[in-house]
Amino acid sequence: MTAAAPEIRSTCPYCGVGCGLRLRREADGAIAVRGDASHPANGGRVCSKGSALDETLGLEGRLLHPMMDGNPTSWDAALDRVARVFSDTIERHGPDSVAFYVSGQLLTEDYYVANKLMKGFIGSGNIDTNSRLCMASAVAGHKRAFGSDTVPGTYADLELADLVVLVGSNLAWCHPVLFQRLMAAKAARPELTIVVVDPRRTMTARNADLHLALRPGSDVALFNGLLTYLHEQGRSDGAFVASHTGGLNEALAAARAMPLAEIAMITGLSQVLLKRFYDLFARHERTVTAYSQGVNQSSHGTDKVNAILNCHLLTGRIGRPGMGPFSITGQPNAMGGREVGGLANQLACHMELENPDHRRIVQDFWAAPRIADKPGLKAVDLFRAVKGGRVKAIWIAGTNPVDSLPDADDVQAALRACPFVVVSDVLQVTDTARHAHVLLPAAAWGEKDGTVTNSERRISRQRGFLPLPGEAKPDWWIFAQVGQRMGWPQAFAYRNPAAIFAEYARLSGLENDGRRDFDISALGDITAGEYDALEPFQWPWPAGQGGRDERRFFADGQFYTPDRKARFIATPWRAAAEQPDEAHPMVLNTGRIRDQWHTMTRTGRAPRLMGHIAEPFLEIHPADAAAHGIAPAGLVQVQNHRGSAVLRALVSEEQQRGTVFAPLHWTDQFSARARVDVLVNPATDPVSGQPELKFTPVSMQPYAATWYGFAVLATKPALPDTGYWTLAPARDGWRLELADTERPADWIMLARGLFGLGDGDGIDLLAYHDAAAGQHRFAAFRHDRLTGALFVAPQPVAVSRAWAADQLGVSFATATARLRLLAGRTGADQPDRGAIVCACFDVGSRQIAAAAAGGCSTVEAVTAATQAGGNCGSCRSEIRRIIDAIGLQKAG
């Protein structure tokens, strides 16, 4: 047997926390994943998604060879065609007729080469990124207030603060390791107060000392009121404001235009609750306000950011330990993309397209024949230009805009109409890839090599530990090859990512002298060996300085505006771009769930990540569900004039009345009609260009299903032709939910088709029918072992999903055992774990409830008994809820 490979240190490919990982290929080929205790971001912690990375590394569905027009081809043919069509299009229609749309999943080196090619050599600003969808408003707010896109603080500030305000952030699910750092700090210092500002009672809100369930879109009003309160209560830092800021009078005038009674009306919060929050903020100097997508993803997101920054500038609470505003980034390298100019309105190294001196610095350094002199098209406008014919060739890398952009069907129509679409991706089949004229196989996480930057400005290495499969190549190599073939061989003659990083580091220090925040010029002469061994560090790291100290900005009052003073920004409250009405009375909010990532191209491959929530859902308040005739666990059709989706109804008191929530993750690869972004309002923030992903008026009604089905299958089925289906991997096969408005002509044929049965294949098919009750059940066995089961009923099927999936591959040698299976009844030898709560250790709700009933009255006791909650901790709130429910049962 081959010996195990040495352990490799790398960085997680999911959220912006940037956790360090240690990875090792075992002798049997398996990949062992654990947290890196030496990494400053996570100190050895790892979340459920990071823990399951080993389940996502298979080659099933991978794009392994270049393809043109649906057929395999050579790299030379594919690259020549991309270079030729882009060059011809530019010659005929100008540089703005082509575009790149890239991703926060790219490494910094990939981003840098793509940006250099588009802005410096093609000469257009038309390169934007899916990071526009998650943090563009934070960027714009930073630049308006600070003169630069600078995150002032560090993760340690969350632990050092006396008050942490989480705004529009479900930290427990979306950034679970950072949440666990916060909860550990609170356990050590119970006086640390946590306030959550969120319309939903999320798992994060359950752990808060104070939850402000404000109305969606009312954040500006809340923080304008806070600014007024702080000023009136004498909590201003007068010396700091006078010496280091400007614009206070205008900002205060806008804030004072809203009396407290009006703020209460707009936010839906009582004046008593508002004053309680305002007083907490006023009394705690060491205050961190951390914000994320609930703030950014708005047509007024930039004003929301600046309303928060105004409060920290007024009190001088910025850049010192335990205090400051903190933008929590969504993607693993959205920060790196910002640093290299991946957004359409930026140049590399935090330089500005509109600044002629910056354009000169970059153009001279690159020896570029031209340089973009105006911002390019931002994401939403870019795809409108594609549909309108102004952009005639587009290259999409590492992202799935047909599912992730708002008004997604319009994006799909744009790609159908585009004369030339290039897609670089790791999978052959995605909702975007099916529109490509040229498909280019890109290296995936674990195969590629480079750097990423996390939310606290920490640059870490992402190292390859797997061979490149098939003909897959790193993204930087693909962009560089096209650059060479378009006529610039010397500018793109990179031999490895270390050379790209060194070039980028040198550029960061040119004519800087502290006038720009981003500077890592100390690494401008880094060798390949030094790059390979590079330890995580926070920027800035200018030449001649040490690079291991924790860095904060702005405690000295020196900002990056022309006069080095911060700017207060007037932020009058404005309503969302679209408002609910009689036809569309509900407000749709979209977002992430705990165990999934983006459009599930990676996490959707991991059975344990699908165990917690395996189906797209619409979370609805019970009163709204009753008013619309929607039953718990039924199917609901949600729609507006843009499109519709069919989702499982999750009726919950945690959801605010008048609003609904749907996860963004499901695509046509996993469900029939669950692309929720077809509904979403494409209105954008006028400053940042970030779309309104949190506030879309919709209507909802029960989906008129005449039957529902649930199946477990040992092999992946052909996707059924039913009005509703959702497919998810299970531990030993697949789970499939079904429903339709019309009954099939032949139930047995439906079952045989799902089970993939043919004549003479040695399968025993057991069937049960109760036509009067609308019940049909089927089970297929090969040599006594279950290979498939289908349960059909006129209402949602009441069979434990986890239990049924656990039966795949189990021996059912007796008629009694088979009949019990068809009845959906567990036996003593086949316990029902219940719905998975802890994905890290695959522990179900019934196992946790049993531990609680057996005397485990704390989360720690349940963890000791079952392991649940013992890794990333993102399930600990759910464990607490189960313990409390068992306690109430005992008391009753």
Side-chain angles (χ1 to χ4, degrees), residues 468-510:
L468 289 170
E471 295 183 272
K473 297 289 187 182
D475 287 284
W476 67 262
W477 182 90
I478 302 172
F479 282 112
Q481 285 291 311
V482 170
Q484 291 183 35
R485 291 162 197 250
M486 290 181 72
W488 306 293
Q490 295 304 312
F492 296 95
Y494 300 111
R495 299 184 62 183
N496 52 47
I500 301 168
F501 183 87
E503 177 179 307
Y504 153 63
R506 291 194 298 274
L507 175 58
S508 73
L510 290 182

Side-chain angles (χ1 to χ4, degrees), residues 3-9 23-25 465:
E7 203 167 45
I8 300 294
R9 294 174 64 197
L23 307 128
R24 185 178 64 251
R25 180 187 280 273
F465 58 94

Side-chain angles (χ1 to χ4, degrees), residues 156-223:
D157 292 326
L158 291 166
E159 299 162 320
L160 297 170
D162 295 320
L163 173 67
V164 173
V165 183
L166 299 173
V167 190
S169 167
N170 188 4
L171 201 69
W173 276 21
C174 299
H175 302 90
V177 169
L178 194 54
F179 177 74
Q180 287 309 309
R181 287 185 61 168
L182 175 60
M183 296 313 295
K186 183 168 178 62
R189 288 193 300 119
E191 65 274 18
L192 191 164
T193 301
I194 299 173
V195 176
V196 169
V197 181
D198 197 312
R200 302 170 62 221
R201 190 165 186 253
T202 63
M203 287 300 169
T204 307
R206 283 179 166 273
N207 287 274
D209 297 288
L210 176 64
H211 175 209
L212 300 178
L214 79 176
R215 291 194 178 111
S218 61
D219 309 72
V220 167
L222 176 70
F223 283 93

Side-chain angles (χ1 to χ4, degrees), residues 10 40 75 86 95 113 126 161 274 278 280 309 331 375 408 632 717 737 847:
S10 190
W75 268 112
F86 268 74
V113 177
N126 282 350
L274 289 168
Y278 293 167
L280 279 172
L309 301 185
Q331 293 197 80
E737 301 283 347
Q847 293 169 292

Side-chain angles (χ1 to χ4, degrees), residues 111-301:
Y111 252 131
Y112 178 83
V113 177
N115 187 59
K116 178 179 178 179
L117 175 58
M118 177 55 74
K119 292 195 176 115
F121 287 79
I122 292 174
S124 171
N126 282 350
I127 174 171
D128 210 43
T129 164
N130 63 5
S131 299
R132 178 72 61 187
L133 310 182
C134 74
M135 35 48 65
S137 292
V139 173
H142 289 160
K143 290 171 71 173
R144 289 205 301 186
F146 307 149
S148 61
D149 175 23
T150 309
V151 176
T154 72
Y155 292 161
D157 292 326
L158 291 166
E159 299 162 320
L160 297 170
D162 295 320
L163 173 67
V164 173
V165 183
L166 299 173
V167 190
S169 167
N170 188 4
L171 201 69
W173 276 21
C174 299
H175 302 90
V177 169
L178 194 54
F179 177 74
Q180 287 309 309
R181 287 185 61 168
L182 175 60
M183 296 313 295
K186 183 168 178 62
R189 288 193 300 119
E191 65 274 18
L192 191 164
T193 301
I194 299 173
V195 176
V196 169
V197 181
D198 197 312
R200 302 170 62 221
R201 190 165 186 253
T202 63
M203 287 300 169
T204 307
R206 283 179 166 273
N207 287 274
D209 297 288
L210 176 64
H211 175 209
L212 300 178
L214 79 176
R215 291 194 178 111
S218 61
D219 309 72
V220 167
L222 176 70
F223 283 93
N224 276 352
L226 176 59
L227 185 73
T228 300
Y229 182 90
L230 293 169
H231 191 265
E232 290 178 349
Q233 295 297 314
R235 297 291 179 166
S236 305
D237 184 333
F240 181 87
V241 170
S243 299
H244 303 301
T245 72
L248 174 60
N249 289 338
E250 293 81 359
L252 274 174
R256 284 171 170 160
M258 304 183 69
L260 190 64
E262 184 180 358
I263 293 169
M265 181 185 68
I266 290 169
T267 62
L269 303 172
S270 70
Q271 293 188 39
V272 171
L273 200 57
L274 289 168
K275 288 180 178 178
R276 182 181 170 193
F277 168 54
Y278 293 167
D279 183 61
L280 279 172
F281 198 105
R283 287 190 292 106
H284 291 92
E285 182 181 28
R286 291 197 301 176
T287 293
V288 170
T289 307
Y291 53 93
S292 194
Q293 315 304 11
V295 168
N296 296 331
Q297 291 177 335
S298 166
S299 55
H300 305 298

Side-chain angles (χ1 to χ4, degrees), residues 55-71:
E55 295 183 17
T56 70
L57 300 175
L59 297 183
E60 180 186 359
R62 283 293 299 272
L63 177 63
L64 298 175
H65 307 282
M67 301 187 74
M68 290 198 301
D69 302 318
N71 300 307

